[in-house]
Amino acid sequence: MTDPTHTPYDGSSKPFAIGLKQAEPRDWIELDGHLEAYLAEKDRLYAEIPDKVFVAEPGTKQSQREVLDLLVAHLTERFPETYRIEEGRCSIAGTGRSIDVQNPGDSPLVAASKLVQEDLILMRRGDDGWRLAAGSLCFPSSWRLTEKFGQPIDKIHGPVPDFGPGTRMAELIARMFDKLAVLVERFNWSIQADGSLYHPLSDRQRLARSAETESTFPGADVAAHAFIRVERQTLRKLPVSGDILFTIRIHLDPLAVLARHEDSPRLAASFADQLMNLDRQQLDYKGLAADRDRLVGFLSEMKKAG
């Protein structure tokens, strides 16, 4: 196993903060050795539960097409050894895949999503603010696309402590969306009990989870079952439609892999500190109320061993 690509729990990102930073355009999309596995999982989900992983309002097809064209241009320039255009199709080296990008059908966003490991969400400005107008979400981090479809961003964030309608954070996010001019990125982390990329959770299930007192991990064994789930999110304003494209890239690593990191003691200490500083609402939101102390204990032992 390799070291984690991103470690926002090292203190570089504060939990439950907006934390947007300008990103380099060349780093918009991330590519790694797991590309085939991610694309295969997307294919499976599109085949088995298409209505749960793709939604779109009428009138978004041109914006979806804009996303596809931007992605193809970026990928073929940034990763020419992996992506190549041949007769209107984009071939992906090492995967045996060839996506029709010239005539992608009624859902260009689906074609776009099948090129990359990222999930793709289109936000559109309306009378009630920025809403989720279309999306390909194969790898949700404890939320459901169909539940959030068509909702304005403050309601989407309703379950997040201090981010719901009427909060200062909601106002700041709306203002930033309105003024967005450059590519920006932010990071989130969570901890889950397996390595599943597809990890949906409804708002009702989230509430039920917060009331549980039993460990999330089989046998309460965090060493064997805890996975760190890191989200790298980017936002960019689409130049033609004016919509905002929100990308979400998931990185999954066993928590135990931190023990082999060259900076293991510092990472373990920082991660433990972030867990200890979460209040009850935040712990409930992340589903960690029952396991926070055992996770902190595990990380503390890792720090000592390092």
Side-chain angles (χ1 to χ4, degrees):
M1 287 181 284
T2 58
D3 286 344
T5 303
H6 302 291
T7 56
Y9 38 83
D10 61 5
S12 58
S13 296
K14 183 181 178 182
F16 296 95
I18 296 173
L20 287 173
K21 301 175 183 177
Q22 186 169 345
E24 290 294 330
R26 73 186 306 273
D27 297 329
W28 177 34
I29 299 298
E30 293 187 332
L31 189 66
D32 64 21
H34 302 294
L35 176 63
E36 163 60 22
Y38 278 60
L39 296 183
E41 179 66 353
K42 285 190 177 188
D43 287 345
R44 182 187 73 82
L45 293 166
Y46 274 121
E48 295 180 4
I49 51 170
D51 293 342
K52 293 183 179 180
V53 296
F54 176 74
V55 295
E57 292 180 356
T60 59
K61 184 176 178 180
Q62 286 187 328
S63 186
Q64 294 181 49
R65 178 78 217 201
E66 185 179 2
V67 171
L68 176 60
D69 291 344
L70 283 171
L71 261 182
V72 169
H74 174 81
L75 294 171
T76 53
E77 179 181 352
R78 178 71 176 84
F79 306 108
E81 69 285 357
T82 301
Y83 296 94
R84 181 181 301 176
I85 297 295
E86 298 172 341
E87 298 181 353
R89 303 185 69 87
C90 185
S91 60
I92 309 172
T95 70
R97 287 175 170 76
S98 177
I99 307 299
D100 189 340
V101 295
Q102 183 171 309
N103 298 296
D106 292 332
S107 305
L109 199 64
V110 171
S113 76
K114 290 184 175 183
L115 294 171
V116 293
Q117 290 162 267
E118 281 80 357
D119 282 326
L120 308 172
I121 303 292
L122 271 176
M123 304 296 293
R124 176 163 288 183
R125 189 73 161 86
D127 293 338
D128 56 353
W130 292 88
R131 70 182 185 278
L132 198 165
S136 166
L137 184 77
C138 292
F139 309 139
S141 296
S142 300
W143 61 288
R144 292 188 183 276
L145 180 62
T146 52
E147 193 172 75
K148 305 299 184 181
F149 179 41
Q151 288 193 5
I153 194 166
D154 59 345
K155 290 186 178 179
I156 290 173
H157 287 145
V160 185
D162 300 319
F163 276 75
T167 63
R168 179 174 178 273
M169 287 297 193
E171 294 174 1
L172 288 173
I173 291 171
R175 200 175 306 148
M176 284 188 291
F177 269 55
D178 285 339
K179 295 181 178 180
L180 186 65
V182 297
L183 178 71
V184 294
E185 67 178 3
R186 68 184 298 272
F187 294 89
N188 275 339
W189 62 261
S190 56
I191 300 176
Q192 64 186 58
D194 57 38
S196 300
L197 286 166
Y198 181 65
H199 197 261
L201 201 69
S202 69
D203 286 347
R204 180 177 295 180
Q205 288 171 320
R206 185 186 297 281
L207 286 172
R209 182 181 67 174
S210 69
E212 293 178 359
T213 57
E214 298 296 323
S215 175
T216 300
F217 308 102
D221 188 349
V222 299
H225 299 289
F227 279 75
I228 309 167
R229 186 183 186 99
V230 170
E231 294 178 69
R232 177 185 180 253
Q233 305 171 353
T234 75
L235 293 165
R236 66 180 296 169
K237 180 74 69 72
L238 299 180
V240 178
S241 65
D243 292 341
I244 287 177
L245 177 65
F246 175 44
T247 73
I248 310 167
R249 172 70 153 85
I250 301 300
H251 295 268
L252 274 170
D253 294 285
L255 181 61
V257 80
L258 291 185
R260 295 195 294 274
H261 196 284
E262 63 179 5
D263 205 10
S264 176
R266 186 183 67 84
L267 287 176
S270 177
F271 208 161
D273 285 345
Q274 289 206 352
L275 284 164
M276 287 303 299
N277 287 327
L278 296 177
D279 63 29
R280 180 55 196 245
Q281 275 190 312
Q282 293 168 338
L283 286 168
D284 285 344
Y285 177 78
K286 285 184 175 289
L288 297 175
D291 289 296
R292 191 262 301 274
D293 291 346
R294 60 176 53 92
L295 286 164
V296 169
F298 177 75
L299 290 165
S300 297
E301 290 300 316
M302 187 184 296
K303 176 187 174 183
K304 292 177 185 176

